[in-house]
Amino acid sequence: MSKPTIELRNLTKVYSTEEMETHALRGVSMEIAAGDFVSICGPSGCGKSTLLSILGLLEPSTSGDYFIDGMNVSQLSLSKAAEVRNEKIGFIFQSFNLIDELTVYDNIALPKRYSDRNFSRKEISERVTECLEMVDMVHRSKHRPWQLSGGQQQRVAIARALVNRPSILLVDEPTGNLDSKNGDAVMQLLVDLNAAGTTVCMVTHDPRYADMATNKLHLLDGKIISGIAPQGANAFHGKEAS
């Protein structure tokens, strides 16, 4: 059996102040195989966003181990974490996080231009155009984000997340700012990307969209109470993880 793309072992996250400690994650263990589509659900404050931030190497865990393609990334330096993140992970945010002063083309090109590899202008142009075609936004390449609808902005954000060919796509409430028609279109795009081989891990509050994933993970009070368990572990299927 091949190694999982993502593996967490007894991961915890504690936020401490002088007055109190907040346990955001409590002993989370799971495996995500290459090509999986995983949805993460749960009530507000259950640890969903914290888990996604740790998966994206945006913040460290307090304890436990996190492996990407067999490499322990739990204690990487900031520069090494940024290198792994840029190489392997793409992000899609609820708020789009596009830069209004830049064109659609330049927003998508940003990760290429800030990559450690020195891509030529031709290489950048070819890949940006390819990503624009994927999301059907070639005709909007010279527009600014503020000239686009919410659904179009989310498509641009998806194209930007794909420009460096990540093997893992982390998605945070991708339909939260969209109407149902645009939300459905964005979800279909994620399903298509997954079918083409991209591993997708998505936080969502919408049960309809959560059901589109091949695996559903439910968090409560920082613990997985149902979902996907590593091989040989006490399963999370129907009972709370210890």
Side-chain angles (χ1 to χ4, degrees):
M1 181 179 293
S2 60
K3 291 183 177 179
T5 289
I6 289 175
E7 182 179 5
L8 305 183
R9 297 180 183 171
N10 201 31
L11 209 72
T12 71
K13 180 64 178 182
V14 181
Y15 296 101
S16 299
T17 66
E18 292 182 0
E19 292 80 21
M20 64 180 296
E21 286 187 345
T22 301
H23 292 257
L25 296 176
R26 304 169 181 261
V28 171
S29 297
M30 68 178 189
E31 293 180 359
I32 298 176
D36 272 357
F37 190 154
V38 177
S39 63
I40 303 174
C41 304
S44 178
C46 71
K48 302 187 302 293
S49 295
T50 298
L51 178 57
L52 207 66
S53 292
I54 292 173
L55 290 175
L57 299 177
L58 296 176
E59 62 177 300
S61 60
T62 301
S63 64
D65 293 304
Y66 172 23
F67 296 85
I68 298 179
D69 294 331
M71 178 175 67
N72 194 331
V73 297
S74 305
Q75 304 299 327
L76 294 181
S77 65
L78 290 177
S79 60
K80 183 62 177 176
E83 181 181 323
V84 173
R85 185 167 58 242
N86 202 40
E87 177 186 347
K88 293 182 178 290
I89 301 171
F91 292 92
I92 300 171
F93 302 96
Q94 177 179 349
S95 56
F96 315 138
N97 288 1
L98 300 173
I99 300 173
D100 277 338
E101 292 76 20
L102 299 181
T103 64
V104 163
Y105 179 98
D106 287 331
N107 267 281
I108 296 170
L110 271 180
K112 279 285 189 198
R113 291 173 175 159
Y114 281 94
S115 172
D116 290 336
R117 296 176 56 190
N118 293 318
F119 292 103
S120 68
R121 182 175 297 181
K122 180 181 178 182
E123 287 176 313
I124 293 173
S125 176
E126 288 176 348
R127 181 56 183 166
V128 171
T129 299
E130 186 179 359
C131 290
L132 282 166
E133 290 172 348
M134 286 184 204
V135 299
D136 193 24
M137 289 293 290
V138 174
H139 62 298
R140 296 287 193 175
S141 64
K142 295 181 180 180
H143 287 71
R144 300 292 197 275
W146 55 269
Q147 296 174 303
L148 307 177
S149 68
Q152 289 172 331
Q153 289 187 62
Q154 191 61 291
R155 285 178 173 271
V156 174
I158 291 172
R160 181 187 57 191
L162 296 174
V163 75
N164 274 344
R165 305 181 191 274
S167 57
I168 301 166
L169 201 56
L170 301 180
V171 188
D172 190 6
E173 298 283 8
T175 63
N177 288 329
L178 305 178
D179 59 28
S180 59
K181 180 180 178 180
N182 281 305
D184 289 348
V186 165
M187 282 303 304
Q188 186 58 55
L189 184 54
L190 292 177
V191 169
D192 293 343
L193 290 168
N194 175 248
T198 303
T199 304
V200 179
C201 187
M202 175 184 69
V203 165
T204 181
H205 68 280
D206 192 320
R208 292 187 307 125
Y209 296 145
D211 287 343
M212 295 174 74
T214 53
N215 288 299
K216 293 184 291 183
L217 185 155
H218 194 91
L219 285 179
L220 183 64
D221 296 332
K223 298 179 181 181
I224 298 176
I225 60 171
S226 65
I228 44 180
Q231 295 293 322
N234 291 326
F236 306 133
H237 302 275
K239 64 178 184 179
E240 183 170 286
S242 60

